[in-house]
Amino acid sequence: MLPAHEVTWDDFGVFLQRLRRRRGLSQERMADLLGCHHISIWRLEHRQRHPSKLFLHNLEHTCTLTEQEKRLLAAFVLLHMAYAPAQDKDA
C-alpha cells in the first residue's frame, strides 16, 4: 500500500477490495453492512466511481480497521474534502 500522503482515487478500489477480502466479505455482505447496493461496491472497486462522504463515514464506523487502514481511510477523507463536488452523491 502507498503511504497515506500519496493516495489518489485510483488507489481507493484496491484499498476497498483488500479491506473486504481480508474480512472474508462478499460484495453483497459489505454492501449490507455499509447500507448501499452491491453494485456500488463493485463500481468503487473497479474505479468507476468515487466514494461519497457518507460511504467513507460508514466504512470508518462499521469496519474494525488496522492502524494502516485508518491512516489510508483518513487520507481518502482528506482527498474527498479537497475534490468533493458541490453536491455529494452517495455510493
Side-chain angles (χ1 to χ4, degrees):
M1 277 273 166
L2 292 170
H5 65 278
E6 295 180 17
V7 299
T8 68
W9 284 128
D10 286 339
D11 302 313
F12 186 78
V14 173
F15 168 76
L16 182 62
Q17 188 175 66
R18 284 183 182 168
L19 187 107
R20 177 178 63 77
R21 287 183 174 169
R22 285 182 183 151
R23 284 151 182 82
L25 299 173
S26 66
Q27 290 178 345
E28 291 82 4
R29 180 66 181 132
M30 179 169 252
D32 288 344
L33 291 171
L34 297 174
C36 64
H37 196 274
H38 72 275
I39 296 298
S40 296
I41 301 295
W42 187 92
R43 287 179 178 157
L44 289 164
E45 288 183 356
H46 289 85
R47 298 181 300 202
Q48 292 186 0
R49 196 160 184 193
H50 296 164
S52 67
K53 182 178 178 182
L54 178 61
F55 184 90
L56 294 170
H57 173 82
N58 289 349
L59 187 61
E60 178 183 11
H61 295 285
T62 302
C63 295
T64 302
L65 303 172
T66 66
E67 288 304 312
Q68 181 182 16
E69 290 167 342
K70 288 177 185 178
R71 285 192 300 274
L72 287 168
L73 184 58
F76 289 120
V77 169
L78 290 174
L79 189 62
H80 186 277
M81 290 170 59
Y83 297 103
Q87 290 188 329
D88 192 41
K89 292 186 177 181
D90 294 334

